[in-house]
Amino acid sequence: MPTPTRTAPKKFLFQLRSVDNEFGVSEETFSRLMAELSLNQTELVHKALRNLAKEVLPAYQQDDGPLSDAQHAAVKKLSGLDISEDDLDSPLFK
């Protein structure tokens, strides 16, 4: 079986801001973060991007929306529980 070929990771240029703002940090802030976290420049950028990805990107694939009546009936049947609409108002389901 042939070994899959790997391509080299892409690189990009990173420019610091002259002052801190919503979309960037200054060299002073960047240096302070590296020192505080004991990371080099590349590690710090990766950590920041990873934190942003966890905050912004969904952790799971988007579903198809709410269940249909048929799907609700199938779940109810498979669960073996007899749950009424009134039961759903119970604090147990909140």
Side-chain angles (χ1 to χ4, degrees):
M1 175 184 268
T3 306
T5 58
R6 290 187 175 217
T7 59
K10 293 184 178 183
K11 297 179 182 182
F12 70 97
L13 182 62
F14 180 74
Q15 183 175 346
L16 295 166
R17 304 288 189 235
S18 56
V19 294
D20 293 341
N21 63 43
E22 182 181 359
F23 297 105
V25 297
S26 66
E27 183 176 1
E28 178 185 356
T29 299
F30 195 75
S31 296
R32 289 177 59 204
L33 283 167
M34 284 191 306
E36 182 70 26
L37 299 172
S38 299
L39 299 174
N40 65 36
Q41 293 174 344
T42 301
E43 292 167 338
L44 181 58
V45 170
H46 277 286
K47 180 167 182 55
L49 290 173
R50 185 66 201 128
N51 287 345
L52 183 61
K54 286 180 2 185
E55 178 184 320
V56 173
L57 301 175
Y60 51 87
Q61 186 175 7
Q62 190 172 6
D63 62 25
D64 296 330
L67 296 177
S68 68
D69 290 340
Q71 290 169 319
H72 275 284
V75 169
K76 184 176 177 180
K77 182 178 178 181
L78 290 171
S79 73
L81 299 175
D82 187 22
I83 300 171
S84 70
E85 289 294 322
D86 292 335
D87 292 331
L88 295 177
D89 289 331
S90 165
L92 294 173
F93 291 99
K94 300 291 181 197

